[in-house]
Amino acid sequence: MAIAPPYKSNAPDPGHPRNGFDRFFEITARGSTPSREVRGGLATFFTMAYIVVLNPLILGGAVDGDGKKLAIPALAAATALVAGLMTILMGVVGRFPIALAAGLGVNALVAYEIAPQMTWADAMGLVVIEGVLIAILVLTGLRTAVFRSVPTQLKTAIGVGIGLFLTIIGLVDAGFVRRIPDVANTTVPVGLGINGKIVSWPMAVFVVGLLITLVLVVRRVRGAILIGILATTVLAIIVEAVAKVGPSFVNGKPNPHGWSLNVPELPNKIVDVPDLSLLGNFNVLNSWGRVGWLVPLMFVFTLLITDFFDTMGTMVAIGQEGDMLDERGTPPRAKEILLVDSIAAAAGGAASVSSNTSYIESAAGVAEGARTGVANLVTGGLFLLAMFLAPLSLVVPFEAASTALVVVGFLMMTAVRTIDWTDYEIAIPAFLTIALMPFTYSISNGIGAGVISFVVLKLAKGKAREVHPLLYGVAALFVLYFLRGPIESAVL
């Protein structure tokens, strides 16, 4: 169960919608208001707008098997377009406040493992295949059935683990937590700031912004997270104007004192014409003839497992944060949510921007009060505008947006109290799920460890009948997922 949001509810009594729009999106029925949905949509956009910049940098920095690169301006435009359309589709069909965009981790897999063995069109074709396969699993009811086979307390652990995952993402993106170089001759993998010190303006801005946001949350100020992002952005713009900090890389050389990604300064040009030349640049069959059937099959399997369970975890976490789960830990319209997510995966491949998936950063919008798909209309509309207003969308730095991720991580962490830590048969899988998500930087890894350990412990206790039959199959798939390295080495 989620903790109370940072405001007091004054929504109309559930069951008395004001109009057809309200009835369709169930705004009043879910205890929300249009203003909260708008604030939530804005907060979600600001916490994930970075993908319009980061996805092109990841995909555009790699070369395919023919030595070709994808144009960064075209990648940026297509990234914003697909994110906008799929987020709106989720709002209208799923009616759930989850925004979608190109998935981090999956885009790196496509860029640095898949594309170098074939052409970009071939690689994106495999993404399309993966999306279609997931859609089939949804339409046949298998994906929903698998979701429901996971024990409720393990679903709670997934939400808590994602909260910690969000926290470390926020801390790392802000530069507050950094990897210690191997040359430092230490066994400690990460540390505080630069050499254990807060010695840069961007880090100081993040700390001040985080404190501002926390004060607003504790004082139950409406729009606390959104206000925190905007206030921190204003502070960052002032600091950059005075101190001239600059980006984290200057002329290809690292600048550890610089801003993580976006430099917070007002752009000279606000409107730009989007380049949509990458749309439809995919091929679903050519890769199978170029590199054989086994390589594409392993890549599709990896993409499938990652997308399948990342979305399941995100859906649980968002529903948990908004107190929108039923007694089985299932959000409303689960099948529709999963279907749109699978369509988004295929759409991302068709637009050459990698698989699009549900974003856990949507939790920032839910923390602001979003409970329906109306928030998605706001977030999706802003992504579509970002195609034309790309320079303006680059003003908010990581150091400002990351404050929301840390605060939301705390809010999601509070659900840990509902897990029965005295029952080791569920407590150990829950612990592994929670711990491995942030420590391996992967939602799927955490879910996989939780499911496998749950099945093994139940078998060891002679309680095989307490495990849903589908969960045995899921555990077996995760075993293959974790062993895919040795399997690929043995057969490829």
Side-chain angles (χ1 to χ4, degrees), residues 277-297:
S277 59
L278 291 178
L279 301 186
N281 185 28
F282 69 96
N283 190 313
V284 299
L285 299 176
N286 192 57
S287 61
W288 303 84
R290 177 166 178 161
V291 297
W293 64 272
L294 198 53
V295 172
L297 184 64

Side-chain angles (χ1 to χ4, degrees), residues 95-279:
R95 302 175 202 171
F96 198 69
I98 293 184
L100 302 96
L104 291 174
V106 174
N107 56 4
L109 173 67
V110 172
Y112 300 113
E113 293 188 40
I114 301 179
Q117 300 193 42
M118 54 193 76
T119 67
W120 281 111
D122 297 339
M124 295 303 171
L126 295 183
V127 175
V128 173
I129 292 173
E130 174 253 335
V132 172
L133 289 176
I134 292 184
I136 293 172
L137 293 177
V138 175
L139 293 174
T140 57
L142 182 60
R143 195 178 188 188
T144 305
V146 168
F147 173 78
R148 289 174 175 165
S149 71
V150 178
T152 301
Q153 290 194 61
L154 197 55
K155 289 178 182 176
T156 300
I158 291 171
V160 174
I162 289 176
L164 289 178
F165 185 32
L166 273 179
T167 300
I168 195 170
I169 288 174
L171 295 174
V172 170
D173 285 352
F176 189 78
V177 171
R178 302 190 184 206
R179 178 179 179 273
I180 297 177
D182 296 333
V183 295
N185 193 28
T186 176
T187 57
V188 180
V190 295
L192 170 67
I194 301 172
N195 297 322
K197 301 175 183 177
I198 301 174
V199 293
S200 73
W201 280 111
M203 276 191 285
V205 167
F206 166 74
V207 171
V208 173
L210 179 59
L211 291 175
I212 290 173
T213 307
L214 290 173
V215 169
L216 294 172
V217 168
V218 170
R219 292 181 63 87
R220 308 280 175 147
V221 175
R222 292 182 182 229
I225 293 176
L226 180 57
I227 293 172
I229 294 173
L230 296 177
T232 310
T233 299
V234 171
L235 175 61
I237 292 173
I238 295 172
V239 168
E240 175 60 25
V242 175
K244 303 295 182 183
V245 177
S248 56
F249 280 86
V250 179
N251 297 324
K253 297 181 179 180
N255 171 27
H257 293 81
W259 302 98
S260 295
L261 183 61
N262 296 342
V263 177
E265 54 187 6
L266 297 177
N268 296 323
K269 182 171 63 171
I270 295 178
V271 179
D272 203 0
V273 178
D275 178 358
L276 301 178
S277 59
L278 291 178
L279 301 186

Side-chain angles (χ1 to χ4, degrees), residues 441-467:
Y441 242 62
S442 168
I443 294 174
S444 291
N445 288 348
I447 296 175
V451 169
I452 292 173
S453 60
F454 177 79
V455 171
V456 169
L457 292 178
K458 286 295 185 183
L459 289 175
K461 292 282 289 185
K463 298 180 179 179
R465 292 184 179 181
E466 293 184 10
V467 180

Side-chain angles (χ1 to χ4, degrees), residues 7 16 25 67 78 101 116 128 145 147 157 193 269 300 311 332 337 341 352 355 404 407 432 440 488:
Y7 48 73
H16 296 82
F25 285 103
V128 173
F147 173 78
K269 182 171 63 171
V300 169
T311 300
I337 295 170
D341 184 86
S352 297
S355 174
V407 173
L432 292 175
T440 66
E488 289 174 359

